[in-house]
Amino acid sequence: MARKTEHPARRQAFFKALMGDFSQHLRIPSAFIKNLNRRSLHTCRLKGPSGQCWVVELEKRGNRLFFHKGWEEFVKHHPLEVGDFLIFSCDGVSMFDVTIYGKTFCEKNVKAAKRRSGSNGIAAKRSGKLPRRSDSHADKRRVYSDGSSHSGRFKGWDGHKDSRYI
């Protein structure tokens, strides 16, 4: 006799790669809007990585829907930059859990990003340019006596360092 298992309702989600000027508004994908149970939403809540929530008004322009009033505060609080990648997971009503990934393709540490950007990060967003990596992160390969440069030294079969890299 087969047992029927219940699966929790699957949360609807979408992602956005931040490009251009996103500091004032962000477009919600049209395909996602169809998943909102045909209800007309005027506001929603965005829950950031810290657990704090922001009330954001939605603005309709033709067939398009945008995060609008309140979005700018969310952007400032999470120093979002061009190249960041956000995942919006909706509870089915009006709450979005937002996960933020940086240019490293890893989840962004919002507290560290705020310290680096002076807590607003607006310049990188408005310019539309990705920040350049500083020279302090230059390639630090070792150059050995034979002129080669390897990131590590190799050991011979007996466990001693290969004389070519001494």
Side-chain angles (χ1 to χ4, degrees), residues 63-77:
N63 291 335
R64 297 177 175 178
L65 191 63
F66 294 83
F67 293 121
H68 188 57
K69 289 184 181 173
W71 170 251
E72 186 174 2
E73 288 76 24
F74 184 85
V75 169
K76 285 179 183 177
H77 184 80

Side-chain angles (χ1 to χ4, degrees), residues 50-66:
S50 67
Q52 186 175 350
C53 291
W54 282 262
V55 174
V56 176
E57 288 184 22
L58 300 173
E59 179 180 61
K60 189 167 183 161
R61 297 182 202 160
N63 291 335
R64 297 177 175 178
L65 191 63
F66 294 83

Side-chain angles (χ1 to χ4, degrees), residues 104-121:
T104 63
F105 305 108
C106 296
E107 196 164 344
K108 194 169 184 178
N109 180 342
V110 174
K111 289 179 184 176
K114 283 178 83 169
R115 282 192 302 270
R116 279 194 306 274
S117 70
S119 82
N120 68 11

Side-chain angles (χ1 to χ4, degrees), residues 81-85 100-110 112-113 116 130-131 133 137:
E81 303 172 289
V82 169
D84 285 351
F85 184 89
I100 303 168
Y101 294 86
K103 291 174 216 67
T104 63
F105 305 108
C106 296
E107 196 164 344
K108 194 169 184 178
N109 180 342
V110 174
R116 279 194 306 274
L130 296 174
R133 181 175 257 193
H137 295 291

Side-chain angles (χ1 to χ4, degrees), residues 91-148:
D91 68 355
V93 184
S94 63
M95 170 74 96
F96 290 88
D97 287 323
V98 183
T99 307
I100 303 168
Y101 294 86
K103 291 174 216 67
T104 63
F105 305 108
C106 296
E107 196 164 344
K108 194 169 184 178
N109 180 342
V110 174
K111 289 179 184 176
K114 283 178 83 169
R115 282 192 302 270
R116 279 194 306 274
S117 70
S119 82
N120 68 11
I122 297 291
K125 290 185 295 244
R126 289 209 175 129
S127 70
K129 295 179 182 177
L130 296 174
R132 300 187 116 209
R133 181 175 257 193
S134 69
D135 290 334
S136 64
H137 295 291
D139 191 1
K140 297 181 180 179
R141 284 189 260 175
R142 293 180 183 165
V143 178
Y144 297 99
S145 60
D146 67 352
S148 65

Side-chain angles (χ1 to χ4, degrees), residues 10-15 32 45 47 86-92 95-99:
R10 186 172 172 204
R11 292 179 64 121
Q12 297 293 323
F14 68 91
F15 71 88
F32 183 81
R45 290 179 296 152
K47 183 176 172 186
L86 281 63
I87 297 177
F88 295 84
S89 179
C90 184
D91 68 355
M95 170 74 96
F96 290 88
D97 287 323
V98 183
T99 307

